[in-house]
Amino acid sequence: MNKKNVRIGALCVLMTTCAFAQQKESLISKNDLDEVVVSDSKFALEKEKSGKVITKITAEDLKNKSGQSIASILSTAVGVEINGNQSVAGKNLGYYIRGGKNSQVLILIDGIPVTDASGINFQYDLNLLPVDQVESIEIMKGAASTLYGSGAATGIINIILKKSSKKEIEGSAYISIEPTIRR
């Protein structure tokens, strides 16, 4: 009978600690991040002291290159090659930074890794993203796999989207016309 009481008491103690753990976890407040910046080290460093090359394509640069796709704008950056950047949406693109493989380039949208699970290589098609929805693009050239995983062995492309409007009703439209050549 003594062993039975000890077991029941231990079970009650474990159940109450689990209940308190669940309660404390739900009371923790969560903070939203204002801006996501691709960093190349675990510590805050000045850009000059970093060993990586970080290129930023600003909103003004995107405005000057209106009418182009994001893939063709990225291919103008030094050290970045996008195979198939002039192709139609839905075609597999090849992303290469500094000669690395396609699977070694990580694509982030607002700091979140994106992939296309319907394809065989899980690469995201940047032709599907309208340029007028993009605020800026950051390209980090160099290995960052210790921070971002094996998908970032040669570089990272971080696309920062424009913030939503504060107006109650607002809309935008995007039209893309591609000519077809018949023989």
Side-chain angles (χ1 to χ4, degrees), residues 21-170:
Q22 296 299 321
Q23 184 179 8
K24 288 180 185 177
E25 202 170 39
S26 65
L27 294 177
I28 296 173
S29 65
K30 297 183 180 179
N31 298 330
D32 293 332
L33 298 176
D34 293 332
E35 182 178 353
V36 177
V37 178
V38 174
S39 61
D40 60 343
S41 69
K42 293 183 181 180
F43 309 104
L45 293 174
E46 296 178 10
K47 186 177 177 182
E48 294 80 23
K49 294 182 180 179
S50 171
K52 307 290 188 283
V53 177
I54 299 175
T55 306
K56 185 165 186 173
I57 300 172
T58 62
E60 184 157 332
D61 295 334
L62 293 170
K63 186 178 178 183
N64 292 338
K65 297 178 181 183
S66 64
Q68 296 182 16
S69 67
I70 291 180
S72 61
I73 292 171
L74 281 172
S75 65
T76 61
V78 176
V80 178
E81 180 184 351
I82 306 218
N83 287 347
N85 61 357
Q86 298 296 328
S87 63
V88 297
K91 183 175 182 320
N92 290 338
L93 300 176
Y95 306 100
Y96 306 99
I97 294 180
R98 290 187 170 177
K101 296 179 182 178
N102 190 23
S103 61
Q104 295 173 331
V105 177
L106 179 64
I107 297 176
L108 306 172
I109 295 182
D110 288 334
I112 300 170
V114 292
T115 59
D116 182 12
S118 67
I120 58 172
N121 59 357
F122 296 108
Q123 292 296 321
Y124 186 74
D125 184 10
L126 289 177
N127 287 331
L128 299 174
L129 188 64
V131 177
D132 62 343
Q133 297 295 318
V134 176
E135 179 69 31
S136 64
I137 301 172
E138 297 173 344
I139 305 166
M140 187 184 76
K141 301 171 198 162
S145 56
T146 56
L147 293 175
Y148 294 98
S150 63
T154 60
I156 298 172
I157 299 171
N158 185 26
I159 300 169
I160 300 157
L161 299 177
K162 291 181 179 177
K163 304 299 179 234
S164 62
S165 174
K166 301 294 181 192
K167 298 178 184 177
E168 291 182 21
I169 298 175
E170 187 173 340

